[in-house]
Amino acid sequence: MENKTKIALVTGASRGLGKNSALKIAQKGLDVIITYNSNKEEAEKVVAEIEALGQKAIAYQLDTRNTKSFEEFVKNIGDYLEKNTGNRNIDFLINNAGTALYAPITDTTEEQLDEMVDIHFKGVFFLTQKFLPFINDGGGIVNISSGLARFVLPGSSVYGSLKAGVEMMTKYLAKELGARKIKANVVAPGAIETDFGGGRTRDDKNMNALVANNTALGRAGLPDDIGGVVAFLCTEDARWITAQRIEVSGGMFF
Ligand code: NAP
């Protein structure tokens, strides 16, 4: 019998926002494939948490800088799915994996810029491209951007510019994939208390206060503020939402 349970793939879900999104997606009744870069142990814990929610889960290693590995990655996932569901396709792709770079324009090196391009733009573009034949019609893509694509904090020029690029990329995806009824949207978190950037928003009291004082709802964000919004975009109730940027920042810097 055909398995009708929808399947989402979340990159960078060993911790932080990806982990929270994966768990919230599982709570909506989807099976979830997660990826990690170096943190296999944490990723396996996320798999166990998803399974405890009654959904299927598996973790794969993926370095989104390594575009050459994508074809094999997509094939491995297809083989796994074919074996378990009789079909190679997923329904939702969540491009979440990412790292921070805090560097003033004057100090930014070419190597730093190249690495950020690889993670935050080239990796997102080609991973999505490679998955496109294996996303069911009517499915969706959620790209994680940042408030820093809208407002400016010194030191985030490369990161913010690339996130802005991903936002435009998402509009192109929405247009080009509309005929297949595939939605493409952006979730743009404000500053959230995760390990991101060495845990700056969570652990640096001055930074945390700066964020809280410039946020309408009066505090820095938590992973739990984000995952449910990503998960909503993976539900039938969100079927008419595409080409949108949803900022989830508690009203930061507006
Ligand atoms: P995080 O807690 O540092 O987690 C990063 C995740 O990405 C981890 O699962 C990590 O895997 C994975 N990852 C890192 N480098 C990777 C690579 N080269 N290839 C594949 N995976 C990689 O960060 P987060 O706060 O959850 O951030 C998630 C996303 O939200 C990022 O796109 C970030 O830009 C965006 N965002 C974050 C904030 C914030 O304030 N936290 C605000 C706006 C947007 P390992 O655990 O295996 O290393």
Side-chain angles (χ1 to χ4, degrees):
M1 206 174 93
E2 201 192 342
N3 180 353
K4 294 265 171 51
T5 304
K6 299 250 190 309
I7 300 163
L9 186 146
V10 186
T11 65
S14 45
R15 48 201 167 101
L17 306 186
K19 172 183 176 179
N20 193 271
S21 299
L23 292 171
K24 294 281 175 70
I25 289 168
Q27 283 171 14
K28 298 272 187 204
L30 284 80
D31 292 336
V32 191
I33 299 166
I34 67 167
T35 78
Y36 61 94
N37 183 29
S38 56
N39 232 322
K40 184 174 195 278
E41 210 171 301
E42 290 304 310
E44 292 300 344
K45 286 188 202 160
V46 177
V47 165
E49 281 190 61
I50 293 170
E51 287 172 345
L53 290 165
Q55 299 305 130
K56 293 199 193 74
I58 189 165
Y60 283 86
Q61 198 280 332
L62 175 73
D63 182 342
T64 57
R65 290 170 295 194
N66 186 5
T67 51
K68 298 274 176 289
S69 72
F70 290 176
E71 214 159 285
E72 197 189 340
F73 172 70
V74 174
K75 182 185 176 304
N76 288 342
I77 290 192
D79 290 348
Y80 160 78
L81 288 174
E82 191 154 28
K83 202 165 144 223
N84 287 278
T85 70
N87 179 311
R88 301 184 74 79
N89 291 5
I90 61 170
D91 296 285
F92 295 95
L93 173 63
I94 320 299
N95 286 304
N96 164 80
T99 53
L101 170 65
Y102 302 116
I105 291 170
T106 45
D107 296 353
T108 301
T109 65
E110 201 170 330
E111 289 72 25
Q112 286 175 321
L113 187 141
D114 283 345
E115 174 159 359
M116 292 306 273
V117 169
D118 287 350
I119 295 177
H120 287 286
F121 193 86
K122 192 175 164 189
V124 174
F125 187 95
F126 284 110
L127 189 66
T128 305
Q129 182 198 66
K130 293 283 181 285
F131 261 113
L132 283 182
F134 303 105
I135 297 179
N136 281 324
D137 290 2
I141 295 161
V142 181
N143 290 329
I144 304 302
S145 178
S146 168
L148 288 164
R150 176 179 61 79
F151 55 74
V152 170
L153 282 175
S156 289
S157 62
V158 173
Y159 175 82
S161 303
L162 291 169
K163 288 297 199 188
V166 160
E167 293 191 2
M168 197 62 190
M169 184 201 300
T170 308
K171 290 190 189 179
Y172 276 92
L173 286 167
K175 189 74 110 183
E176 294 191 16
L177 301 176
R180 291 180 54 196
K181 310 285 179 254
I182 291 175
K183 289 84 66 182
N185 292 291
V186 162
V187 169
I192 315 293
E193 296 185 14
T194 68
D195 294 340
F196 192 72
R200 202 160 86 138
T201 299
R202 182 189 57 214
D203 302 334
D204 177 339
K205 290 209 167 7
N206 291 332
M207 187 62 189
N208 192 286
L210 178 104
V211 171
N213 292 335
N214 288 287
T215 297
L217 296 179
R219 62 167 173 80
L222 300 169
D224 234 10
D225 297 324
I226 305 300
V229 180
V230 176
F232 164 66
L233 290 171
C234 301
T235 66
E236 184 58 17
D237 282 344
R239 65 182 175 272
W240 204 235
I241 302 175
T242 195
Q244 299 306 303
R245 173 187 193 270
I246 303 174
E247 185 166 311
V248 192
S249 69
M252 191 176 172
F253 282 123
F254 68 93

